[in-house]
Amino acid sequence: MTAEQAAVPGGMSRRRRRQISLWTQYGLFAAVVLVVALLADWPKLRVNFANWGVAKDLFPDVITVGLRNTVVYTAVGFGIGLALGLVIALMRLSSAAPYRWFATVYIEVFRGLPLLLIFIFVGVGVPLAFPGTTIPGGAVGQTGVALGVSAAAYMAETIRAGIEAVPRGQTEAARSLGMSHGRAMASIVLPQAFRIVVPPLTNQLVLLCKDSSLVLFLGVTLEQRELTKFGRDLAGQQGNTTPIIVAGICYLVVTIPLSLLARRLEARRHGGRR
Amino acid sequence: MKDTRPGTGAAAGGRAIEISGLRKSFGTTEVLRGIDFHVERGEVVCVIGPSGSGKSTLLRCVNLLEEPSAGTIRVAGVDVTDPDVDIDAVRRGIGMVFQSFNLFPHLTALGNVTIAQRKVLRRGRAEAERIARENLGRVGLADRVGAFPAQLSGGQQQRVAIARALAMGPGVMLFDEPTSALDPELVGDVLGVMRGLAVEGMTMLVVTHEMSFAREVADRVVFMDGGVVVEEGPPSRVIADPAHERTRAFLSRVLDPAAARIEDADAAVDADVGDAAAEDGRP
């Protein structure tokens, strides 16, 4: 009797036991799927969630208004977030202590707040705090600011990590050539840091794309509706859930390729030489 | 701001490098304990010594990559430790070559050699590229201008790094163990380039373990140990006939590393045999 057999009660081999355990798991999984499928009311589902007639009427507006606005809100939010995030990251790494404190507080505060709260603050709080002022650009400006100030906190940490990942020798070489601190940062460190942070920033873009749906709490006009608001409104009007499904598919059309892109960039970075 | 570029202005008459009373501590560890020495214009000085002796720190103090704790360093007459001195201007006149090359990986060889010319010296693209090609040719890499650092061998990377420093027209070149990270067969190319620079009359301060280079090329050899200069003089004296016991011990280890390794191995074997004997002795 070998040592392996001796360790298994009942004389069953280890491989056999693993097989049984695996098939039990598959069986349970299949049973759960089957039960859910049997409980669902398929004809009703088809009419309410995959109603071809309702879906067809959504086009082209779901693309030209909904998807378009989602992309615009996301892009503006990303732009503001990136610019602000870079500034906060540089402050975080500054030799001046007050800058570092400010950056740390900023990052902790905005990472700790629900995004919805920030949207409400931008929509309601800013006009109250600064009477007579509204954020320029209407819904686009407001959404961009709300998404941007929140994303900046996350992006600042990402960018800081990217800057710190650039070897010290790079700065030393740049400074030795007579470059000032700022010049070395701009010409030597940041170009390398951004290459490092492209994958995480792409993931951030995916998050922003989904979070742009919160604009509906700001109150938007018909032309300013993005995918979620658009889908929800039409679902209400039609008394049918299909528009929600169509809006969801539109999100996935944008987010899945971005996620795949981020994963590929990451794989290339880890696989490639430096 | 003062014009502090070495080689210009009234101070141009000074020595290339003049160091007095230099001390440097990292935390509570004093790495340099009072260094006095100088480099004349056109002179090649090699600094040798065991690792941890403070050679690299000394070199890095000259262009203020490390802030000295005490003492003064004059480069072409300009006191670089003076807080009012524009250190970027001083560094423009000092070429630095690192052990780990530190090429900019996101730029081609040409880009590495042009970027500081363009951003610091404000040369136009055409002029910067002409000077870059000239200097890449000078280090034997005229045919690799478009290559990225990752596509170059270590020896080629180090030669690009030398060209990058030369393109700024420095008055003095600092070399921090330039061949220590190279495969043995690539060391010769880099030393050849450095020898060429010495022949052209470049002022050079070289931290190195290459004793044959020091012996052939250096005008003066400085032996450092424990953060002080133990002895200095022409290589014919310091390397061939050292006055101090510490220098002699270091040189015998470096000049005949094979013998040193065999000695170490013998010692290790002796120790093993001893251990084995002890084990056998156990019941």
Side-chain angles (χ1 to χ4, degrees):
Chain A
M1 202 187 223
T2 67
E4 189 180 301
Q5 281 168 328
V8 180
M12 225 188 279
S13 77
R14 250 201 323 215
R15 185 198 292 178
R16 179 93 191 107
R17 274 176 29 124
R18 200 176 325 141
Q19 272 175 352
I20 290 174
S21 146
L22 212 54
W23 282 110
T24 314
Q25 286 173 33
Y26 292 157
L28 273 173
F29 185 70
V32 169
V33 171
L34 202 65
V35 167
V36 171
L38 285 174
L39 287 176
D41 183 346
W42 285 101
K44 225 177 198 169
L45 267 181
R46 183 157 321 131
V47 171
N48 270 305
F49 285 87
N51 192 316
W52 199 234
V54 174
K56 258 195 303 199
D57 286 347
L58 296 174
F59 291 91
D61 283 4
V62 67
I63 303 293
T64 56
V65 177
L67 184 59
R68 182 182 158 277
N69 281 328
T70 291
V71 169
V72 169
Y73 294 145
T74 305
V76 173
F78 188 77
I80 293 175
L82 189 61
L84 196 57
L86 176 59
V87 172
I88 304 279
L90 291 174
M91 288 172 103
R92 184 87 170 66
L93 293 168
S94 166
S95 53
Y99 283 151
R100 284 202 307 275
W101 297 333
F102 175 83
T104 309
V105 168
Y106 183 96
I107 289 167
E108 294 308 328
V109 165
F110 281 96
R111 284 203 306 191
L113 287 176
L115 190 48
L116 179 54
L117 216 65
I118 297 172
F119 265 87
I120 293 170
F121 182 80
V122 166
V124 181
V126 170
L128 281 178
F130 307 97
T133 345
T134 46
I135 291 165
V140 174
Q142 289 188 345
T143 314
V145 168
L147 288 176
V149 295
S150 150
Y154 294 93
M155 285 157 118
E157 283 294 84
T158 307
I159 295 169
R160 179 186 60 80
I163 291 173
E164 286 181 335
V166 176
R168 229 176 102 81
Q170 293 291 309
T171 313
E172 290 186 348
R175 297 303 305 269
S176 296
L177 289 164
M179 291 188 197
S180 64
H181 175 77
R183 172 48 68 193
M185 188 56 89
S187 292
I188 303 301
V189 178
L190 286 182
Q192 295 181 55
F194 270 103
R195 251 156 257 227
I196 296 169
V197 300
V198 161
L201 287 188
T202 310
N203 285 324
Q204 188 73 46
L205 198 54
V206 171
L207 292 178
L208 283 177
C209 179
K210 298 184 292 176
D211 289 343
S212 65
S213 60
L214 290 171
V215 70
L216 70 88
F217 288 94
L218 291 176
V220 290
T221 65
L222 285 181
E223 292 75 42
Q224 291 171 341
R225 289 182 299 183
E226 43 62 68
L227 282 171
T228 300
K229 173 81 170 143
F230 185 90
R232 216 172 75 135
D233 285 0
L234 284 172
Q237 280 168 29
Q238 310 257 356
N240 187 298
T241 330
T242 307
I244 303 277
I245 300 290
V246 173
I249 291 168
C250 287
Y251 275 112
L252 295 180
V253 164
V254 176
T255 53
I256 289 179
L258 278 175
S259 293
L260 291 177
L261 178 71
R263 209 173 306 166
R264 275 190 58 176
L265 289 170
E266 198 147 8
R268 206 179 64 177
R269 181 177 143 60
H270 287 298
R273 56 191 165 196
R274 257 191 63 83
Chain B
M1 204 168 285
K2 298 177 205 170
D3 184 0
T4 46
R5 233 165 309 161
T8 59
R15 282 167 162 165
I17 301 173
E18 187 151 20
I19 296 172
S20 62
L22 176 62
R23 288 175 176 276
K24 171 67 186 174
S25 302
F26 293 104
T28 54
T29 318
E30 193 168 42
V31 178
L32 298 177
R33 306 157 180 261
I35 302 272
D36 298 280
F37 94 102
H38 67 273
V39 179
E40 301 283 358
R41 273 156 203 283
E43 202 180 18
V44 176
V45 175
C46 283
V47 183
I48 61 171
S51 47
S53 59
K55 323 180 286 283
S56 288
T57 306
L58 168 68
L59 202 69
R60 291 164 59 85
C61 280
V62 172
N63 68 351
L64 241 56
L65 283 181
E66 304 294 350
E67 192 94 33
S69 307
T72 58
I73 300 170
R74 288 177 180 280
V75 177
V78 176
D79 182 0
V80 301
T81 53
D82 176 355
D84 287 336
V85 160
D86 177 2
I87 188 60
D88 294 335
V90 175
R91 284 176 175 149
R92 266 174 245 160
I94 306 174
M96 176 88 175
V97 175
F98 297 87
Q99 180 179 351
S100 49
F101 329 136
N102 294 351
L103 287 186
F104 307 132
H106 61 303
L107 300 175
T108 61
L110 192 69
N112 266 277
V113 185
T114 49
I115 188 157
Q117 294 188 65
R118 308 227 355 181
K119 304 289 184 188
V120 177
L121 301 179
R122 303 263 158 226
R123 286 177 184 154
R125 175 185 288 274
E127 191 195 4
E129 289 192 354
R130 181 179 57 74
I131 294 170
R133 284 174 198 279
E134 242 171 58
N135 281 293
L136 284 167
R138 206 166 158 190
V139 299
L141 290 172
D143 55 334
R144 301 308 309 269
V145 288
F148 282 92
Q151 299 164 330
L152 297 170
S153 74
Q156 289 172 330
Q157 289 189 50
Q158 191 60 298
R159 285 185 282 153
V160 172
I162 294 174
R164 176 174 71 178
L166 289 175
M168 303 295 283
V172 53
M173 288 281 286
L174 309 177
F175 292 85
D176 187 6
E177 300 195 25
T179 57
S180 295
L182 296 177
D183 292 336
E185 76 268 24
L186 302 175
V187 168
D189 294 344
V190 171
L191 291 182
V193 167
M194 290 167 64
R195 198 169 284 138
L197 287 178
V199 170
E200 287 170 33
M202 175 64 76
T203 309
M204 292 160 66
L205 180 55
V206 185
V207 171
T208 187
H209 289 295
E210 296 291 334
M211 291 305 140
S212 56
F213 176 83
R215 191 158 30 197
E216 286 165 41
V217 181
D219 297 306
R220 206 143 46 81
V221 172
V222 175
F223 174 71
M224 278 181 71
D225 193 10
V228 295
V229 172
V230 175
E231 65 178 304
E232 61 174 305
S236 56
R237 202 186 57 62
V238 176
I239 295 181
D241 183 23
H244 287 257
E245 178 50 39
R246 275 196 283 179
T247 319
R248 229 170 286 146
F250 168 74
L251 286 170
S252 71
R253 258 178 292 141
V254 178
L255 289 178
D256 198 357
R261 263 201 300 278
I262 289 166
E263 263 171 47
D264 288 349
D266 282 350
V269 168
D270 287 347
D272 282 350
V273 170
D275 286 349
E279 262 170 49
D280 285 346
R282 264 180 232 133

